[in-house]
Amino acid sequence: MCATCGCDDHSHEQGGGVVIDLEERLLARNDHLAGHIRDWLASIGVRSYNLMSSPGSGKTTLLERTVRELGLPCSVIEGDQETTFDADRIQATGVAAVQVNTGAGCHLDAVMVRKALASLDPAPGSVVFVENVGNLVCPALFDLGETGRVVILSVTEGEDKPLKYPHLVRTGDVVLLNKVDLLPYLDFSQDRFLRALRQVNPHAPLLPVSARTGEGLADWYAWLSR
Ligand SMILES: Nc1nc2c(ncn2[C@@H]2O[C@H](COP(=O)(O)OP(=O)(O)OP(=O)(O)O)[C@@H](O)[C@H]2O)c(=O)[nH]1
Ligand SMILES: [Mg+2]
């Protein structure tokens, strides 16, 4: 659809100025609300973490263990286009979870998180995990009022992903390399991955983990508790 007037004829579009302006206004509104969410969470002593990865990297598996093992009261906001599968998995651990279905949308935004938080009503001093829609592109743009951003990549995805998806990987406050239990069966080079990561994000701690076996998770819990 033409971004200038909404018609289906692209022949009269003049450059990309209007598109950028709309995107900036959309993001400014999101950022404004995210700021309020951040202030409110801080006022009740709640920390929140925005987990971002491609589909199937292990976000929910990591959260199933984390909410059991972290030793702090937790709740979870689950973002997916469809289904309540992930919220069901978290609730099965005994922890409160709210599922947000984005339909055709490819990311969570601050409006969705605000509504989910109103329903979750997190306890003061607790930790809220937000599992974003599996996507290494769009979630990068949307501030959710989080305390920290967690980028999860897994060894089955290849070493080049930081270089191919730099915008999202750059925003990570910590990077988890998941599924390291599969390394013996793959030709994944941790050295090559680290070099790729450091070109894009020089400072975020890199934590190799296995959400399946528990390897490395003590470092993840220490990072969360720091
Ligand atoms: N071997 C191995 N498998 C894992 C690990 N973590 C997750 N998996 C498997 O990877 C698959 C996807 O895991 P999920 O936790 O559902 O991944 P997700 O990132 O939440 O997926 P979406 O919500 O669809 O984006 C499942 O079959 C998990 O059992 C791991 O550390 N090692
Ligand atoms: Mg999931």
Side-chain angles (χ1 to χ4, degrees):
M1 183 184 284
C2 168
T4 304
C5 67
C7 77
D8 290 329
D9 177 8
H10 289 249
S11 61
H12 61 279
E13 284 188 278
Q14 300 289 320
V18 174
V19 175
I20 292 167
D21 184 43
L22 284 174
E23 183 177 280
E24 279 180 354
R25 275 189 276 156
L26 178 72
L27 290 175
R29 211 177 311 143
N30 183 84
D31 289 353
H32 182 77
L33 179 54
H36 284 301
I37 293 172
R38 186 172 285 109
D39 290 346
W40 176 68
L41 289 174
S43 75
I44 58 171
V46 170
R47 284 174 289 141
S48 72
Y49 296 97
N50 178 3
L51 273 63
M52 302 181 294
S53 85
S54 56
S57 296
K59 299 178 293 299
T60 311
T61 309
L62 178 77
L63 286 177
E64 287 174 305
R65 285 190 83 120
T66 301
V67 298
R68 283 197 185 102
E69 297 175 358
L70 183 61
L72 292 169
C74 299
S75 56
V76 178
I77 297 171
E78 284 289 352
D80 275 305
Q81 289 199 320
E82 298 289 343
T83 81
T84 60
F85 295 161
D86 287 1
D88 294 344
R89 287 168 62 185
I90 298 299
Q91 285 165 1
T93 70
V95 163
V98 170
Q99 182 79 50
V100 179
N101 286 138
T102 59
C106 53
H107 59 270
L108 293 175
D109 64 27
V111 173
M112 297 172 191
V113 169
R114 181 186 57 181
K115 282 187 193 154
L117 284 170
S119 152
L120 262 188
D121 192 19
S126 66
V127 179
V128 176
F129 293 101
V130 182
E131 177 177 337
N132 220 312
V133 178
N135 183 338
L136 281 178
V137 182
C138 313
L141 289 173
F142 288 83
D143 185 354
L144 304 181
E146 67 269 2
T147 312
R149 285 189 164 204
V150 181
V151 171
I152 304 171
L153 298 162
S154 62
V155 295
T156 47
E157 296 163 42
E159 304 104 341
D160 56 356
K161 293 304 168 285
L163 298 174
K164 295 178 79 171
Y165 301 96
H167 301 292
L168 186 139
V169 172
R170 187 175 291 129
T171 69
D173 297 302
V174 65
V175 176
L176 270 59
L177 178 62
N178 191 32
K179 307 193 186 183
V180 294
D181 58 294
L182 297 178
L183 281 172
Y185 314 105
L186 303 169
D187 58 3
F188 183 95
S189 159
Q190 290 197 71
D191 286 344
R192 276 203 297 274
F193 175 78
L194 184 60
R195 279 199 296 277
L197 175 64
R198 288 303 174 230
Q199 284 184 54
V200 170
N201 186 334
H203 302 301
L206 170 63
L207 309 180
V209 299
S210 168
R212 172 155 297 170
T213 67
E215 181 180 345
L217 290 184
D219 293 334
W220 161 235
Y221 302 147
W223 186 85
L224 288 170
S225 307
R226 75 205 186 288

